[in-house]
Amino acid sequence: MRLSRLFFTTLRDDPADADMASHRLLVRAGYVRQLGSGIYSLLPLGFRVQQRIEQVIREELDAIGGQEMEMPVVHPADLWRQSGRYDKIGPEMARFKDRGERDMVLAMTHEEVVADLVRDIVNSYRQLPIIVYHFQTKFRDEPRARGGLIRVREFVMKDSYSVDADEAGLDRSYQLHYEAYRRIFERLGLATVAVGSDVGIMGGSGAHEFMVVNPHGEDTLVLCPSGDYAANQQVARVAVPPPTGEEPLAAEEVATPGTETIATLAAFLDVPASRTAKAAFFVTGDGRLVTAVVRGDFEVNETKLSNAAKAVGGLRPATAEEIRAAGMEPGYGSPVGAHDTLVVLDALAAASPNLVGGANRPGFHLRNLNAPRDFSPDLTVDIANARAGDPCPECGAPVTLAQGIEVGNIFKLGTDFTRALGATYLAEDGSRHHPVMGSYGIGLGRNMACIVEAHHDEKGIVWPASVAPYPAHLVAIGANRDPAVAEAAEGLYKRVTDSGVEILYDDRDESPGVKFTDAELLGMPMIVTVSPRSLAAGGAEVTDRASGDRSVRPLAEVEAELAGG
RNA sequence: CGGGGCGUGGCGCAGCCUGGUAGCGCGCCUGCUUUGGGAGCAGGAGGCCGCCGGUUCGAAUCCGGCCGCCCCGACCA
């Protein structure tokens, strides 16, 4: 591709609205342009990178038996009503009516379509298992786009779906994807950590997210330094140490004026926050009051609480009136004497005797609070939010926290969708079952951005060879005043191109400085310079973009290497 | 949705406070010179100052409303 013809432009200045390196560089180097908030065009260079990422994914999914297909972007709303998600999903799903006044949606994902196809096509266990996938545009009306290509509203995603006869089959398909994802991200040059994650609106029995550690990441990861444990903080377990053997003491009320926070309470009584109990109050989407009790030195993890309480429609903080209506006092609250509320006690708090907790009377707390003696929890489960330095739930070493960007995810869906859509198959013994599904996603643009995050320097992008839009960038210097340069560069370009290998060729009438700067900004793995100087030295100067190593090599040798792919 | 910031030529910005009819750098076009690290000289093109309304003799500038974009938070396969 001749740069003189390429539809692109480089920018000398950073765009004002770009914060992240990937955003800055992809715009400056002419790979992408923004059209609206969270909506981007891929220019020819960016599109080629996306295609190369796509090809890596395609190869690895084909290798585990995946079959590529394509499913529609626009779905009838009825399909989503059948799965129950039409009402479950909020305004992030775009909805519209077609000319016949029929409700339609822009698909955020394709579980429904796969389940619908399975319903039509699969009759027998002999047809299973199946892995299908496609690369398709998604539109999700995110509340806030951010970080350039990191969180956008319209994007191309690879989504694959496994359909198996039973849970054991799902486990195999899930494991196949897990391993394929490892290989994919390895080939893309992304260092990922697979973390256990929340299943969210998908339901299902298990999920992992493949995360790239990055300070701009939107998720917080809990990582064991020895690699024994990695989880999204949303679901990260908090270890419960063995009982101390401390005997429960008699509860006693103590006046604690003006201590509505754990910090003021601990200071007033001169006890560590870890010897207090914190009550937090929420209301579920269907109007139930949930009282969560964690140790005072922890925060409530709302995801874990919401899952434990099976909160329909999520949780919102309760109002003071709602708390008082259940017999509790904001700022001095505990489940002692409470009524009409689901009490969820954190496992660590349950294992911590003699805490200071609210007396449900303004200005008073209770010393030596102990469950179930002083109140009866409906549930005793882990609902505390993991902190840096907490012991790893596997090995006990202190965990660290890091921010991460989710570059891929895998979900065990189970039979929710096939059940809802009424897809069944006949087993060997003639019994009828719902196929078991899994779903697996990778966002292409986000991966492109993460690759740039991981592979750039102060001069520009440094593409890994696996995804570079072109393997090499040929720069002709002084071609318009030295016919030998023009002839050598044109000849090299023509013969390499004729061999079937496309490279970038800077044939523009620009100064050497501009050409070198652009070549480094654009980031092809190899920069080949042909100039009077290089010819005098015996050929073309070859620069490795990543290492900066340079050498002058005979034209024929460079040509052979490029043509050889 | 809450908080903050920003909207002036393709890009980056100044001008706004204190109203008087728009400027700088880069880029772009033409010519000459230059040619291994974002060249020089000369000439030139290009702006509904986000939109609507108001105040005023006069608005990029002051006032009101709206729209858009970015960041933090809320939210989130």
Side-chain angles (χ1 to χ4, degrees):
Chain A
M1 184 73 220
R2 290 172 186 272
L3 278 195
S4 63
R5 304 307 318 151
L6 182 65
F7 184 53
F8 91 125
T9 185
T10 56
L11 301 176
R12 195 173 286 229
D13 299 305
D14 286 334
D17 55 6
D19 264 23
M20 294 182 70
S22 57
H23 188 194
R24 220 173 58 228
L25 291 171
L26 287 168
V27 173
R28 266 193 64 203
Y31 284 80
V32 305
R33 275 298 167 96
Q34 181 171 8
L35 183 60
S37 182
I39 305 177
Y40 285 81
S41 297
L42 296 183
L43 299 177
L45 285 174
F47 185 59
R48 282 183 75 97
V49 174
Q50 176 163 296
Q51 286 179 308
R52 299 223 50 206
I53 294 172
E54 215 177 275
Q55 187 55 26
V56 167
I57 296 171
R58 180 175 288 120
E59 287 169 13
E60 293 298 340
L61 287 181
D62 286 350
I64 62 168
Q67 303 180 55
E68 187 170 359
M69 61 183 298
E70 184 160 284
M71 291 176 272
V73 187
V74 173
H75 301 182
D78 277 347
L79 186 61
W80 287 69
R81 290 199 178 96
Q82 285 179 44
S83 71
R85 294 162 104 194
Y86 188 78
D87 297 317
K88 207 165 170 181
I89 294 178
E92 62 269 27
M93 183 159 72
R95 300 152 205 254
F96 65 100
K97 286 182 189 297
D98 68 9
R99 65 195 302 163
E101 291 294 302
R102 287 174 287 264
D103 288 325
M104 310 295 284
V105 306
L106 289 185
M108 300 172 59
T109 175
H110 287 75
E111 283 80 9
E112 279 83 355
V113 176
V114 171
D116 176 65
L117 290 168
V118 167
R119 175 169 59 184
D120 283 355
I121 293 170
V122 173
N123 297 306
S124 161
Y125 74 96
R126 295 174 193 273
Q127 293 168 278
L128 302 176
I130 295 163
I131 293 174
V132 292
Y133 70 95
H134 72 343
F135 298 93
Q136 180 62 284
T137 297
K138 316 287 186 210
F139 181 80
R140 297 181 186 175
D141 198 355
E142 297 286 347
R144 176 153 92 82
R146 69 182 90 191
L149 292 185
I150 295 299
R151 184 162 210 85
V152 294
R153 298 194 297 163
E154 185 192 297
F155 57 100
V156 176
M157 178 180 226
K158 182 289 297 178
D159 37 331
S160 46
Y161 302 89
S162 63
V163 186
D164 281 277
D166 52 29
E167 289 289 335
L170 171 60
D171 289 346
R172 281 191 295 275
S173 294
Y174 189 84
Q175 189 61 30
L176 283 173
H177 273 89
Y178 187 97
E179 286 157 12
Y181 272 37
R182 282 239 169 275
R183 288 189 292 269
I184 288 166
F185 295 123
E186 165 87 36
R187 289 178 62 181
L188 295 182
L190 291 174
T192 57
V193 48
V195 303
S197 67
D198 184 40
V199 295
I201 196 171
M202 303 296 311
S205 57
H208 283 87
E209 291 164 339
F210 287 76
M211 293 285 193
V212 172
V213 172
N214 182 292
H216 288 92
E218 299 178 275
D219 290 282
T220 301
L221 313 181
V222 177
L223 304 173
C224 171
S226 52
D228 291 319
Y229 188 71
N232 193 313
Q233 189 182 37
Q234 289 183 320
V235 298
R237 277 148 53 206
V238 172
V240 179
T244 58
E246 182 180 333
E247 289 299 318
L249 303 175
E252 62 174 304
E253 197 171 76
V254 52
T256 54
T259 59
E260 295 182 8
T261 64
I262 292 294
T264 54
L265 174 66
F268 183 84
L269 292 178
D270 194 25
V271 299
S274 60
R275 300 301 309 236
T276 67
K278 177 190 294 181
F281 311 95
F282 300 90
V283 174
T284 63
D286 55 357
R288 297 147 60 211
L289 181 69
V290 176
T291 302
V293 180
V294 295
R295 225 171 62 180
D297 54 334
F298 279 84
E299 299 296 326
V300 173
N301 179 315
E302 283 192 43
T303 303
K304 286 157 69 174
L305 176 64
S306 178
N307 289 338
K310 297 184 168 44
V312 178
L315 297 170
R316 64 162 171 85
T319 65
E321 292 69 40
E322 288 167 331
I323 297 166
R324 291 200 178 94
M328 294 179 288
E329 178 60 33
Y332 302 91
S334 75
V336 176
H339 50 83
D340 298 315
T341 179
L342 182 79
V343 176
V344 184
L345 175 63
D346 176 60
L348 179 58
S352 309
N354 300 322
L355 299 179
V356 177
N360 292 324
R361 199 177 140 203
F364 289 89
H365 279 83
L366 293 171
R367 284 189 193 274
N368 303 324
L369 194 60
N370 289 286
R373 183 191 68 191
D374 302 314
F375 65 92
S376 303
D378 297 290
L379 295 167
T380 301
V381 289
D382 175 10
I383 54 166
N385 206 27
R387 308 166 307 179
D390 284 346
C392 166
E394 296 296 333
C395 74
V399 298
T400 59
L401 300 186
Q403 296 304 113
I405 300 170
E406 178 189 343
V407 290
N409 59 44
I410 55 179
F411 275 88
K412 290 185 182 180
L413 292 176
T415 56
D416 291 358
F417 287 92
T418 50
R419 197 177 293 273
L421 286 253
T424 61
Y425 71 92
L426 283 180
E428 194 171 6
D429 63 3
S431 59
R432 190 168 287 278
H433 302 275
H434 296 291
V436 187
M437 288 177 57
S439 93
Y440 316 86
I442 297 177
L444 301 190
R446 183 183 286 187
N447 273 265
M448 186 186 324
C450 285
I451 292 167
V452 175
E453 286 290 314
H455 300 275
H456 71 271
D457 59 21
E458 64 289 341
K459 293 173 175 173
I461 301 172
V462 185
W463 290 115
S466 58
V467 296
Y470 297 90
H473 188 138
L474 173 61
V475 178
I477 300 292
N480 58 357
R481 64 176 196 291
D482 186 340
V485 170
E487 190 187 323
E490 289 286 337
L492 181 62
Y493 175 65
K494 183 174 190 312
R495 286 188 296 275
V496 170
T497 303
D498 287 349
S499 78
V501 174
E502 294 183 79
I503 62 173
L504 267 191
Y505 172 30
D506 193 345
D507 61 336
R508 298 175 300 174
D509 184 18
E510 289 286 354
S511 70
V514 169
K515 291 188 170 193
F516 289 135
T517 307
D518 276 351
E520 284 154 347
L521 178 62
L522 289 171
M524 300 318 127
M526 183 192 290
I527 298 169
V528 178
T529 307
V530 174
S531 67
R533 185 190 293 186
S534 80
L535 291 179
E541 182 183 79
V542 176
T543 306
D544 183 89
R545 176 67 181 89
S547 66
D549 293 344
R550 295 181 184 194
S551 57
V552 175
R553 292 158 56 188
L555 287 170
E557 182 185 317
V558 174
E559 183 183 315
E561 180 179 332
L562 290 175

